Amino acid sequence: QKLYTTGKVEKGDVKTSISATGTINPVNYVDVSTNVAGKLESVLVKENDQVTAGQVIAYIDTRQLQATVDDARAAMSKAELDMNRYKALVDQNAIAQQKYDDSVTDYERAKSVYDKAVADLSDATITAPMAGTVGGTPLKAGQTISTGISTQMIIATIADLSNLEIYLTVDETDIGNIKNGSRVEFTVDSKPGETFTGYVSEIAKGTKGELG
């Protein structure tokens, strides 16, 4: 005689285990660079430092930039004096109107050069555009920042590590078991023994799936 053990039928969760390798990246991050050429005088942050929006993270040597501002200010002041002098003369019909018009153009050009020089001097103070964590190794003091190249030199990268996403490749035999919005559990090599949770945010049509 055979004996059978019976039990009540209940609904439960079924887990699908998939082996895949991916990379974890912050959703929000910014590479900090500048349009000002010069030598980095100081870098105030290091890898893994926490920064706030607007915090100064580096300075570029301002000696040449300040000299450019001083020269541009002097040129603008002279152009303004000439413009005012020609204005008085043209009002007295002592010179042609074109002479005065040219002096106005010269002043506007000199003012534009001065404004650019002031902006460059201000940009020599590098600040964090967002709050976050400094990722990777920032540039070192003493390095020269070059401009006009196709890829700007990155002084530091700042990332929001509170919101991360995983990019991974899933085998075609497993992709049918993955649905948008599904809750997932995963592990990372840097945190052995810990399990993290997330959800599927997007499944690419190609060979790469995105898990966030």
Side-chain angles (χ1 to χ4, degrees):
Q1 184 179 1
K2 293 183 178 180
L3 299 177
Y4 297 93
T5 301
T6 60
K8 183 180 178 182
V9 177
E10 296 179 346
K11 290 184 178 180
D13 295 328
V14 177
K15 290 186 178 181
T16 299
S17 178
I18 295 174
S19 177
T21 301
T23 57
I24 301 177
N25 301 299
V27 175
N28 300 313
Y29 72 94
V30 61
D31 292 329
V32 183
S33 59
T34 179
N35 292 320
V36 179
K39 185 175 69 174
L40 274 174
E41 185 175 86
S42 60
V43 178
L44 309 180
V45 295
K46 60 184 182 301
E47 186 175 6
N48 295 327
D49 277 357
Q50 302 294 314
V51 298
T52 57
Q55 178 179 331
V56 177
I57 62 174
Y59 290 102
I60 291 177
D61 189 330
T62 60
R63 285 173 294 182
Q64 182 57 52
L65 295 170
Q66 184 63 62
T68 301
V69 169
D70 295 341
D71 290 345
R73 182 188 292 112
M76 182 181 67
S77 295
K78 181 181 183 303
E80 185 175 19
L81 288 173
D82 289 344
M83 180 180 66
N84 292 336
R85 181 164 58 89
Y86 288 141
K87 178 66 167 65
L89 291 174
V90 80
D91 288 344
Q92 300 168 16
N93 293 319
I95 60 171
Q97 178 69 35
Q98 186 61 48
K99 187 73 173 178
Y100 168 68
D101 292 343
D102 290 344
S103 72
V104 172
T105 300
D106 291 342
Y107 169 73
E108 291 175 346
R109 184 181 298 112
K111 185 177 184 304
S112 178
V113 171
Y114 172 73
D115 290 343
K116 175 64 165 58
V118 170
D120 286 346
L121 181 60
S122 176
D123 288 344
T125 299
I126 314 300
T127 59
M130 62 177 277
T133 303
V134 177
T137 303
L139 294 183
K140 304 294 185 183
Q143 289 187 260
T144 299
I145 302 296
S146 302
T147 60
I149 56 180
S150 58
T151 302
Q152 286 186 309
M153 297 180 68
I154 298 172
I155 297 172
T157 298
I158 298 172
D160 175 10
L161 299 184
S162 65
N163 192 12
L164 303 173
E165 59 188 0
I166 303 174
Y167 292 91
L168 52 83
T169 301
V170 178
D171 189 90
E172 62 182 354
T173 59
D174 295 318
I175 196 66
N177 297 323
I178 299 177
K179 306 296 181 185
N180 279 334
S182 296
R183 183 177 179 275
V184 296
E185 295 179 349
F186 61 93
T187 59
V188 294
D189 292 340
S190 60
K191 299 286 185 178
E194 292 189 47
T195 300
F196 302 90
T197 60
Y199 67 93
V200 178
S201 62
E202 182 181 344
I203 302 173
K205 293 181 180 180
T207 59
K208 181 184 288 186
E210 177 184 332
L211 181 64

